[in-house]
Amino acid sequence: MAYFTEAEIKDRLQKEIDTRNFSAAQILNESRRVQDSQDSFDIFLSHSSKDNDLIIGLKLILQDIGYSVYVDWNDPALDPDHVTPKTAEVLRKRMSQCKSLIYAFSVNASNSKWMPWELGYFDALRNSRVAVLPIRNDAYKAFIGSEFIGLYFQVKVADTRGGQKAIWVHNGDDYVNYMYWLSGKQPYKHQ
């Protein structure tokens, strides 16, 4: 199993741009229309607003694997340039519509004011259906300044026996397929 890398996430976005002859903005707009038609999601994707291109690519990867993903900047009820108490109210409602939260930990995550709030709120709301997805790059320093996220499970990616990509939740040697984790199973030690 491996962590997601910036390179593979950017490659996924670029593949979508090349295949569909769309810009990142067009992909985002299409994604917004699809998201507006959904009442529930598998994943609330918590992220830094400085990582928008990475998040588009990560959202595409998670959707490729088979998960529905909520991203707040895709929400017409939110205005990132005008944050008010209503913003928190909308986010609480959206989180209640999601089965889990993935905390996209990039080099920019430590500077986000909203990500720790989302993590704490969702942790209390969904009884620890929170997992951290470290996005690795050469400058990555393991959770320095954000040690609290070490309390949560982490997400890695690996191929299944059938050759399909799957995401796994783990804490050290204990792990479980994300799909099973969503249904309540806890990671267990594999021999």
Side-chain angles (χ1 to χ4, degrees), residues 93-140:
K93 179 179 185 244
R94 299 301 187 239
M95 284 188 245
S96 73
Q97 296 172 301
C98 297
K99 296 176 188 172
S100 67
L101 178 140
I102 287 183
Y103 191 93
F105 188 78
S106 68
V107 295
N108 294 314
S110 316
N111 299 321
S112 173
K113 292 181 177 30
W114 281 97
M115 288 178 71
W117 177 82
E118 292 167 349
L119 178 103
Y121 182 82
F122 201 95
D123 187 18
L125 177 70
R126 289 284 185 241
N127 194 22
S128 297
R129 286 292 163 238
V130 173
V132 176
L133 188 150
I135 300 171
R136 300 292 302 250
N137 68 13
D138 293 341
Y140 180 81

Side-chain angles (χ1 to χ4, degrees), residues 39-50:
D39 293 330
S40 66
F41 301 87
D42 296 317
I43 297 167
F44 182 100
L45 190 53
S46 180
H47 65 282
S48 167
S49 60
K50 293 180 180 177

Side-chain angles (χ1 to χ4, degrees), residues 21-165:
N21 201 23
F22 273 19
S23 68
Q26 288 171 308
I27 293 167
L28 178 60
N29 285 335
E30 181 180 280
S31 178
R32 183 175 293 126
R33 283 191 301 275
V34 170
Q35 184 169 293
D36 288 347
S37 68
Q38 290 183 257
D39 293 330
S40 66
F41 301 87
D42 296 317
I43 297 167
F44 182 100
L45 190 53
S46 180
H47 65 282
S48 167
S49 60
K50 293 180 180 177
D51 289 329
N52 285 347
D53 282 352
L54 276 177
I55 297 307
I56 295 170
L58 182 56
K59 183 176 194 265
L60 290 168
I61 290 170
L62 295 170
Q63 289 172 324
D64 291 346
I65 295 171
Y67 296 101
S68 57
V69 181
Y70 173 84
V71 177
D72 60 2
W73 39 255
N74 255 358
D75 196 321
L78 296 173
D79 179 359
D81 298 324
H82 188 67
V83 177
T84 67
K86 185 173 176 0
T87 303
E89 183 182 318
V90 170
L91 288 173
R92 284 184 187 114
K93 179 179 185 244
R94 299 301 187 239
M95 284 188 245
S96 73
Q97 296 172 301
C98 297
K99 296 176 188 172
S100 67
L101 178 140
I102 287 183
Y103 191 93
F105 188 78
S106 68
V107 295
N108 294 314
S110 316
N111 299 321
S112 173
K113 292 181 177 30
W114 281 97
M115 288 178 71
W117 177 82
E118 292 167 349
L119 178 103
Y121 182 82
F122 201 95
D123 187 18
L125 177 70
R126 289 284 185 241
N127 194 22
S128 297
R129 286 292 163 238
V130 173
V132 176
L133 188 150
I135 300 171
R136 300 292 302 250
N137 68 13
D138 293 341
Y140 180 81
K141 303 287 183 216
F143 309 142
I144 294 173
S146 300
E147 289 81 4
F148 66 93
I149 65 171
L151 301 171
Y152 297 95
F153 296 117
Q154 291 184 26
V155 174
K156 288 187 174 183
V157 64
D159 291 335
T160 63
R161 289 183 185 142
Q164 302 286 60
K165 288 238 180 276

